[in-house]
Amino acid sequence: MSDADPWLVVGLGNPGPEYAGNRHNVGFMVADLLAERMGGRFKAHKSRAQVVEGRCGAPGPGSRRVVVAKPSSYMNVSGGPTTALRDFYKVPVANIIAIHDELDIDYGALRLKFGGGDNGHNGLKSITKSLGAEYHRVRFGIGRPPGRMQVADFVLKDFSSAERRELDYFVDRAADAVETLIVDGLERAQSTYNS
């Protein structure tokens, strides 16, 4: 792996307007903000994903080539588009970052890690099946469902109005965490953003 190798940031979610505000789509929300920061617009790619290519970090030798992607497939088959993008852009698996919702973390809290299990997350399960587990994850906490609500119902519901008041701030922080991970490395990003 060299500094010249590109990074692939995959926001996980489900395509289509009916899913846009769902908790399960927070990966797409962070990807949208990263694309906006890079000054790019998503374009359809033959890998069954929407992509934006750009750079991350201060201009000059410290900046990194980055591809931000939102798979156009459903969450549970994210591995196919992610693998196609890896092959097309020649990205080392260790330079892939998946951004996803995480039930076992309080709402808005972040945890960055490298490798590990999928914790029952279907998007991660699909990527790990295709690529192995040695990629980065930015886990965005959405908390547990209230009462007896089923997990599937909870993740496919929009954020509550109380949650939405803070959502922009948390999405912004997650985008900062991704940029820090790419430019300064995992340890620096973890010590700054893991909560």
Side-chain angles (χ1 to χ4, degrees):
M1 237 170 50
S2 82
D3 286 349
D5 286 325
W7 284 79
L8 172 60
V9 179
V10 183
L12 296 184
N14 286 310
E18 69 273 31
Y19 297 108
N22 289 181
R23 291 180 178 93
H24 220 20
N25 271 41
V26 76
F28 275 14
M29 297 172 197
V30 177
D32 286 338
L33 180 56
L34 286 165
E36 194 180 303
R37 288 181 180 185
M38 292 191 319
R41 299 175 74 112
F42 281 100
K43 294 184 176 70
H45 190 270
K46 64 181 182 182
S47 61
R48 297 194 331 273
Q50 300 283 320
V51 300
V52 171
E53 297 177 54
R55 297 196 80 80
C56 180
S63 89
R64 304 281 180 264
R65 208 170 122 229
V66 180
V67 178
V68 177
K70 299 190 298 185
S72 306
S73 61
Y74 285 100
M75 172 80 84
N76 58 353
V77 288
S78 303
T82 304
T83 303
L85 288 164
R86 178 209 55 188
D87 295 346
F88 183 85
Y89 290 104
K90 300 183 174 34
V91 179
V93 174
N95 275 19
I96 294 174
I97 303 170
I99 311 167
H100 63 92
D101 56 308
E102 179 62 67
L103 289 159
D104 289 334
I105 304 174
D106 290 341
Y107 173 61
L110 293 176
R111 299 264 169 77
L112 286 76
K113 69 179 210 168
F114 180 76
D118 56 50
N119 208 15
H121 192 287
N122 289 331
L124 292 182
K125 205 174 280 182
S126 176
I127 293 173
T128 298
K129 191 173 167 200
S130 298
L131 295 174
E134 301 299 298
Y135 57 93
H136 290 87
R137 298 95 192 278
V138 173
R139 304 158 69 202
F140 187 112
I142 59 168
R144 301 293 304 177
R148 297 185 168 195
M149 186 188 283
Q150 293 295 314
V151 165
D153 295 335
F154 179 69
V155 299
L156 293 176
K157 279 210 174 359
D158 286 1
F159 286 101
S160 69
S161 53
E163 288 170 331
R164 276 200 301 273
R165 281 197 286 276
E166 295 179 298
L167 184 59
D168 286 348
Y169 167 75
F170 289 139
V171 167
D172 197 60
R173 200 163 170 272
D176 290 347
V178 171
E179 290 176 345
T180 302
L181 169 55
I182 291 169
V183 176
D184 298 321
L186 180 62
E187 271 180 47
R188 178 76 177 274
Q190 285 175 325
S191 66
T192 309
Y193 295 100
N194 274 13
S195 41

